[in-house]
Amino acid sequence: MTAESPDPSHRGELRVSHADREAVVELLSKAAAEGRIDLTELDERLEQALTARTYADLKPLTADLPSEVPPNAGKPLVLKGGLHGVARVGRWQVPAKITAYGGMAGVKLDFTRTDCRLPEVEIEVHGQMAGVVIVIPDGWTADTGEVDPGMGGLKDRTTSDRLPGTPLIRLTGTGGAAGVVIRHPNGLERRKLRREQPR
């Protein structure tokens, strides 16, 4: 049995990464430059951000700050699973608009190693015969309300806690015959990510 994403009610207990801390530091520094917080408060929040251990530690530091960042839309990406399948994994440039057709062999979109600073990414999904699987990092959230589940259905296994500076993944389209799955990394994927982190 493969471990899936954690229970949303316990997500705040998860450990944060260096990238999570850096995203909060960047947002705090920007807020100070814009006059939203003074230098004394900046110092206090930065110290807490740099020593944060869990998502619950980080969330209050930016709860009263806007999280929008300047968008860089890029060229729309169209992926077609066809007969052999297609995947975007590893480090790849994320555009603001993606269309994924599952075809006969499926499409997988893995965002866990990307450095995406867009406020929102729209993904139009068409599950067709083999389906579409989307994997997003902890701290990213998804809006799946506009997806027609079709025969294959829609499985949304994401949590609702969004970290500052991370995109909202907005899904549209249809599950088709095979369906659409959006989730956070499973147990095996988490272990691979941990092995890749610098020590």
Side-chain angles (χ1 to χ4, degrees), residues 55-77:
Y55 286 100
D57 294 333
L58 283 180
K59 192 171 183 179
L61 301 179
T62 56
D64 57 351
L65 300 175
S67 61
E68 295 299 319
V69 294
N72 178 16
K75 184 179 178 180
L77 174 65

Side-chain angles (χ1 to χ4, degrees), residues 58-115:
L58 283 180
K59 192 171 183 179
L61 301 179
T62 56
D64 57 351
L65 300 175
S67 61
E68 295 299 319
V69 294
N72 178 16
K75 184 179 178 180
L77 174 65
V78 178
L79 299 174
K80 298 181 179 180
L83 294 174
H84 303 288
V86 66
R88 282 291 184 275
V89 298
R91 300 185 185 282
W92 53 284
Q93 186 65 42
V94 180
K97 169 74 175 177
I98 300 171
T99 304
Y101 298 92
M104 298 293 290
V107 170
K108 181 176 182 179
L109 292 168
D110 185 341
F111 293 88
T112 55
R113 295 173 181 83
T114 64
D115 182 21

Side-chain angles (χ1 to χ4, degrees), residues 172-187:
T172 61
T174 177
V180 172
V181 176
I182 183 165
R183 58 176 174 80
H184 297 297
N186 60 30

Side-chain angles (χ1 to χ4, degrees), residues 36-56:
R36 298 181 191 277
I37 57 177
D38 61 32
L39 294 180
T40 301
E41 192 172 5
L42 173 64
D43 287 342
E44 293 173 355
R45 294 195 191 195
L46 286 178
E47 182 178 355
Q48 293 175 54
L50 293 171
T51 58
R53 295 183 177 183
T54 66
Y55 286 100

Side-chain angles (χ1 to χ4, degrees), residues 22-24 26-28 30-31 34 36 65-73 96 115-121 162-168:
E22 288 168 5
V24 173
E26 183 177 337
L27 188 61
L28 290 171
K30 179 183 176 183
E34 294 172 343
R36 298 181 191 277
L65 300 175
S67 61
E68 295 299 319
V69 294
N72 178 16
D115 182 21
C116 179
R117 298 303 177 95
L118 296 167
E120 184 173 304
V121 177
R162 183 180 178 189
L163 277 180
T166 62
L168 169 69

